[in-house]
Amino acid sequence: MDLGEGYMSNEHKEHLHTKDCTIKGGCGGKGTPGGLVDMDDNHFIDANDPNYSSSEDTDKTSVKNINPRFEEYKKKASIIVEEYFATDDVISTANELKDLEMPSYSYYFVKKLISMAMDRHDKEKEMAAVLLSSLYADVVDPRQVYMGFRKLVESADDLIVDIPDTVDVLALFIARAVVDDILPPAFLKKEMGALPDDAKGIDVIKRAEKGYLSAPLHAEIIERRWGGSRLKTVEDVKAKIDNLLVEYAVSGDKKEAIRCINDLKVPFFHHDIVKRAIIMAMERKKAEGKLLDLLKTASEECLINSSQISKGFTRIIDMIDDLSLDIPNAKELLQSLISKAASEGWLCASSLKQVSCSEKKLVEDSIVRAFKAKAQSIIQEYFLTGDVLEVNSCLESENLTSIPELKAVFVKRLIMLAMDRKKREKEMASVLLSSLYLPADDVVNGFTMLIESADDIALDIPIVVEDLAMFLARAVVDDVLAPLHLEEIGGGCLKQDSVGNQVLKMAKSLLNARLSGERILRCWGGGGSYTNGWAIEDVKDQIGKLLEEFESGGDIREACQCITELGMPFFHHEVVKKSLVTIIEKKHDRVWKLLEECFNTGIITQIQMSKGFGRVAESLDDLCLDVPDAKKQFGSLVERAKTIGWLDSSFSFTKTAYPMENGYHSK
């Protein structure tokens, strides 16, 4: 690749201008710009469309007020797509789109690219899918991608006139977009509900969902349908970056390293090259000079731009405390490297945050640092074994009650590791979070840290909005958090355009949707990963049934045996909660005797008792709707439990129904 590759030459721009003047919108033939795709922009009335005119609402036969800028964009978008199919140059295409400086019209480019590819061979279809994934988020905003696909589905009735297999091809494009994580699965449900019953778009959605996404091994099949995906996954790119840097550190062949960076064709991911090169320089002192020289040369040759360099250093600053676990003098080393890069002129140090202010530290304590490493090891082991009991045992051995902030650290690390993995691990993470029953305050703090760092997380995990929003919504559905905790997590200090704010909005939207509970529970395949194979709802149902049976005259020993046979001692707080609710609602003590027996025989520990009482305290406001004196009754039960040693004397609850633990309220 030439030094200037990825930027339009003067001849290229002149060529673009010539095409712009000569190619007109038409309606026939393969690859003809205009016509086929433009038709639906004039067919559907959309108040958000740049060509929308309010007069359409009263007179649909009137002519639209044409937006000249949008008309210009449409012409140039067609030319850019044509040139991309001819050159297969992702970088040039990205730069041309950016040069248009009209990002609010990007949905049209998405629509045009796919509709033109639909009328061509598998090669162009694969190229279109690869391009969309490459441009996603960096050049084309995710919302524009969503809108582009929406307009394509709405245009299916028109597209099928020229492309007979529209239903199958467009369905495959949608399925591919879902597999490539550039289109959320929720798109299918939303569009199904928004389209008229007789629309071809309905057939497209059904084909995508049932014909492709529901098939066994669907991801691999979809990616290979057009000849195999050439798209590098994030993990592939990271591995190649590591390899080229290691080889360069050994060989010192700078020319070869520059060639390898060029061949990656990921200019919008160059910040990761900077990040990994600097971390390697911190770890390998002997290679520092070579690595800094490589970055300097890449900067001077405009291979890696100043924005990507600054972003790479910023990412290291944001993770410096974690790096310090493995590199004790990481801060001093990073500060030294920043000074050297700035003095050589390829880094603007004033654009960076101060290293000493890189992260809001939870506790300035070596115990917390050590726990972070242990937490990671515990979680990784859990992903391999699925053993919730072992995790519970490991955490109890860490004596987390001495430093409550450690629980928030664990929550953050659990979600972070799961988001960078597959659906299986995401489901396991949600199951674990629900099973451990950490105090709501610690879960809130963990999610708050995730929300506040969402902008940085998005650099490594492009779909952080969808994933983190789903984790939040799932926590609410699993009763780990209450809906009002979402407001607390937001804190009111997030910027409107921040990734964290988008996460909160999406989480609320997911929870407000019809039948949201069931959908969210099944978001990652459902079923959980308990060693006994039961999901949370199954366990809750079993507990409810055994309490009903005992209350109606069942044997106390048999009830205790059933609780033991559940095989989930870390979930016994649910027995306590349901028992207390039964006592409050029915105002008799038979179930209390069961709790007494369970406590005396060691089946239910004081920790589980405390958690169970805490769960009831959190739901008191709702309970009062059915039992007006619920708070008064609960207060009496709390005092009674303290007297017989079930609860610690410090246990309390406020009028807002939040328990107090270790001297502070959990809200």
Side-chain angles (χ1 to χ4, degrees):
M1 181 181 290
D2 293 331
L3 177 62
E5 184 173 353
Y7 297 89
M8 284 192 292
S9 63
N10 291 331
E11 293 86 356
H12 181 73
K13 289 183 178 178
E14 183 177 340
H15 179 54
L16 181 63
H17 176 73
T18 304
K19 283 190 175 184
D20 190 15
C21 295
T22 57
I23 297 181
K24 307 292 181 184
C27 285
K30 283 194 174 187
T32 305
L36 182 72
V37 157
D38 300 331
M39 189 186 301
D40 73 316
D41 273 325
N42 296 321
H43 180 71
F44 290 97
I45 298 172
D46 184 353
N48 294 318
D49 193 286
N51 286 343
Y52 171 78
S53 169
S54 59
S55 63
E56 293 178 81
D57 291 332
T58 55
D59 182 7
K60 292 184 174 57
T61 61
S62 63
V63 179
K64 287 186 177 182
N65 294 327
I66 300 301
N67 182 331
R69 292 189 77 232
F70 185 51
E71 289 302 304
E72 176 189 6
Y73 184 92
K74 289 165 69 175
K75 293 176 183 177
K76 290 186 176 180
S78 300
I79 295 167
I80 292 172
V81 173
E82 286 282 6
E83 293 203 345
Y84 170 65
F85 285 154
T87 64
D88 194 14
D89 190 337
V90 173
I91 296 176
S92 291
T93 304
N95 285 324
E96 288 181 27
L97 271 180
K98 292 173 75 175
D99 288 344
L100 292 180
E101 296 183 343
M102 290 186 269
S104 61
Y105 300 151
S106 296
Y107 75 89
Y108 179 83
F109 178 82
V110 174
K111 186 172 110 179
K112 189 70 173 176
L113 171 68
I114 293 175
S115 62
M116 289 175 67
M118 286 171 62
D119 203 26
R120 299 198 178 198
H121 298 295
D122 285 354
K123 175 190 172 186
E124 285 80 10
K125 293 183 178 74
E126 178 66 19
M127 287 173 67
V130 168
L131 180 62
L132 278 182
S133 291
S134 302
L135 301 180
Y136 181 77
D138 286 306
V139 180
V140 180
D141 186 90
R143 290 168 294 186
Q144 294 287 315
V145 174
Y146 191 103
M147 189 187 301
F149 274 97
R150 178 168 60 80
K151 287 188 173 290
L152 278 162
V153 172
E154 291 171 350
S155 306
D157 292 275
D158 295 322
L159 288 168
I160 204 166
V161 174
D162 289 314
I163 308 172
D165 56 350
T166 286
V167 171
D168 186 65
V169 178
L170 184 52
L172 187 51
F173 264 111
I174 291 171
R176 175 66 178 268
V178 171
V179 168
D180 285 344
D181 287 329
I182 65 172
L183 195 65
F187 173 87
L188 303 172
K189 298 287 185 185
K190 289 181 180 179
E191 285 306 299
M192 185 72 81
L195 291 166
D197 292 340
D198 59 345
K200 282 293 177 186
I202 293 287
D203 297 334
V204 172
I205 297 296
K206 287 181 178 178
R207 180 71 60 85
E209 185 173 27
K210 298 179 181 178
Y212 290 110
L213 293 171
S214 297
L217 303 175
H218 66 271
E220 184 176 350
I221 293 170
I222 291 167
E223 286 184 343
R224 300 287 179 263
R225 180 62 182 269
W226 293 319
S229 174
R230 298 171 301 122
L231 176 63
K232 310 172 190 71
T233 65
V234 172
E235 291 307 313
D236 291 336
V237 174
K238 287 179 179 179
K240 289 189 176 183
I241 290 172
D242 281 336
N243 288 338
L244 77 86
L245 290 175
V246 169
E247 288 181 15
Y248 169 69
V250 173
S251 69
D253 190 342
K254 186 164 60 178
K255 186 176 179 180
E256 175 65 14
I258 292 292
R259 185 192 67 77
C260 289
I261 294 173
N262 259 320
D263 288 348
L264 286 175
K265 296 183 184 295
V266 287
F268 313 109
F269 203 61
H270 281 170
H271 56 79
D272 203 67
I273 297 175
V274 177
K275 171 193 147 188
R276 290 170 185 273
I278 295 301
I279 291 175
M280 187 178 290
M282 293 164 67
E283 293 173 332
R284 306 183 183 189
K285 191 65 179 175
K286 291 182 179 179
E288 178 187 305
K290 292 179 184 177
L291 292 163
L292 290 181
D293 188 44
L294 174 63
L295 294 179
K296 179 183 177 183
T297 301
S299 172
E300 290 173 346
E301 296 183 359
C302 299
L303 177 59
I304 301 179
N305 63 40
S306 59
S307 173
Q308 293 289 312
I309 289 173
S310 293
K311 189 181 289 187
F313 273 95
T314 298
R315 291 182 64 197
I316 301 175
I317 291 172
D318 289 335
M319 62 187 290
I320 193 66
D321 287 307
D322 288 332
L323 278 175
S324 296
L325 295 173
D326 299 314
I327 309 172
N329 58 337
K331 287 186 179 181
E332 293 77 11
L333 288 172
L334 178 58
Q335 193 63 65
S336 172
L337 293 172
I338 289 173
S339 298
K340 289 178 182 179
S343 65
E344 292 175 358
W346 53 275
L347 171 67
C348 178
S350 62
S351 67
L352 304 178
K353 295 183 285 185
Q354 292 296 316
V355 175
S356 59
C357 303
S358 62
E359 186 178 335
K360 291 172 68 178
K361 299 180 70 176
L362 295 169
V363 180
E364 296 285 345
D365 194 352
S366 60
I367 296 176
V368 175
R369 290 175 178 272
F371 177 72
K372 286 182 178 180
K374 285 184 180 179
Q376 181 143 333
S377 176
I378 291 169
I379 294 164
Q380 289 173 337
E381 181 71 18
Y382 167 66
F383 285 155
L384 291 174
T385 65
D387 193 339
V388 179
L389 287 169
E390 179 63 23
V391 176
N392 191 64
S393 175
C394 289
L395 291 180
E396 285 186 353
S397 68
E398 292 295 324
N399 191 24
L400 302 188
T401 54
S402 61
I403 305 177
E405 289 87 347
L406 295 181
K407 299 171 186 174
V409 170
F410 184 82
V411 172
K412 179 184 177 184
R413 194 55 59 99
L414 173 66
I415 303 302
M416 279 287 294
L417 289 174
M419 285 197 298
D420 206 25
R421 298 195 177 207
K422 296 181 180 179
K423 288 184 177 181
R424 172 183 174 271
E425 286 80 8
K426 291 171 184 173
E427 174 67 16
M428 290 177 72
S430 286
V431 167
L432 181 61
L433 198 59
S434 178
S435 303
L436 295 176
Y437 189 68
L438 299 168
D441 188 54
D442 296 316
V443 180
V444 167
N445 288 339
F447 273 108
T448 298
M449 290 189 290
L450 285 162
I451 291 292
E452 289 175 349
S453 58
D455 289 276
D456 294 325
I457 296 172
L459 296 172
D460 281 322
I461 307 172
I463 57 168
V464 64
V465 174
E466 292 84 352
D467 275 1
L468 190 47
M470 190 59 80
F471 270 114
L472 261 176
R474 177 68 179 267
V476 173
V477 170
D478 284 343
D479 291 330
V480 175
L481 294 174
L484 57 84
H485 282 134
L486 296 184
E487 301 301 329
E488 184 179 348
I489 289 170
C493 59
L494 293 173
K495 294 181 180 179
Q496 286 297 314
D497 59 346
S498 69
V499 175
N501 197 45
Q502 293 176 41
V503 170
L504 285 169
K505 285 182 178 178
M506 180 171 284
K508 292 173 185 176
S509 176
L510 288 168
L511 289 165
N512 289 333
R514 184 171 174 269
L515 301 176
S516 62
E518 183 177 350
R519 291 178 181 177
I520 293 169
L521 273 175
R522 304 295 174 223
C523 62
W524 290 311
S529 57
Y530 294 118
T531 52
N532 60 12
W534 288 356
I536 289 174
E537 293 307 312
D538 296 331
V539 178
K540 288 182 177 180
D541 186 54
Q542 289 289 331
I543 292 171
K545 287 178 179 177
L546 75 86
L547 288 176
E548 285 178 13
E549 186 174 333
F550 173 73
E551 187 193 10
S552 62
D555 181 71
I556 195 166
R557 289 186 179 181
E558 186 178 343
C560 288
Q561 185 178 351
C562 288
I563 293 171
T564 303
E565 288 175 353
L566 285 173
M568 303 177 74
F570 51 84
F571 205 62
H572 285 171
H573 56 79
E574 185 70 17
V575 177
V576 178
K577 174 193 169 186
K578 287 185 179 293
S579 297
L580 293 173
V581 171
T582 299
I583 293 168
I584 291 171
E585 289 179 338
K586 300 188 177 180
K587 294 182 171 64
H588 63 73
D589 267 9
R590 180 168 171 77
V591 179
W592 183 271
K593 292 178 181 178
L594 175 61
L595 289 181
E596 194 170 36
E597 181 68 17
C598 288
F599 184 79
N600 292 337
T601 56
I603 295 174
I604 297 180
T605 65
Q606 188 180 52
I607 292 175
Q608 292 294 317
M609 278 289 186
S610 180
K611 289 180 179 180
F613 273 85
R615 291 290 297 275
V616 178
E618 290 176 349
S619 60
L620 269 181
D621 286 331
D622 291 333
L623 195 54
C624 284
L625 296 176
D626 298 317
V627 186
D629 66 339
K631 288 185 181 179
K632 182 179 179 181
Q633 285 195 64
F634 182 66
S636 298
L637 293 174
V638 167
E639 293 306 315
R640 189 175 170 186
K642 287 181 180 179
T643 302
I644 56 180
W646 293 3
L647 296 177
D648 187 84
S649 59
S650 64
F651 182 92
S652 183
F653 66 100
T654 68
K655 291 182 180 180
T656 52
Y658 288 91
M660 179 184 288
E661 296 187 27
N662 300 324
Y664 64 93
H665 295 299
S666 67
K667 179 180 184 303

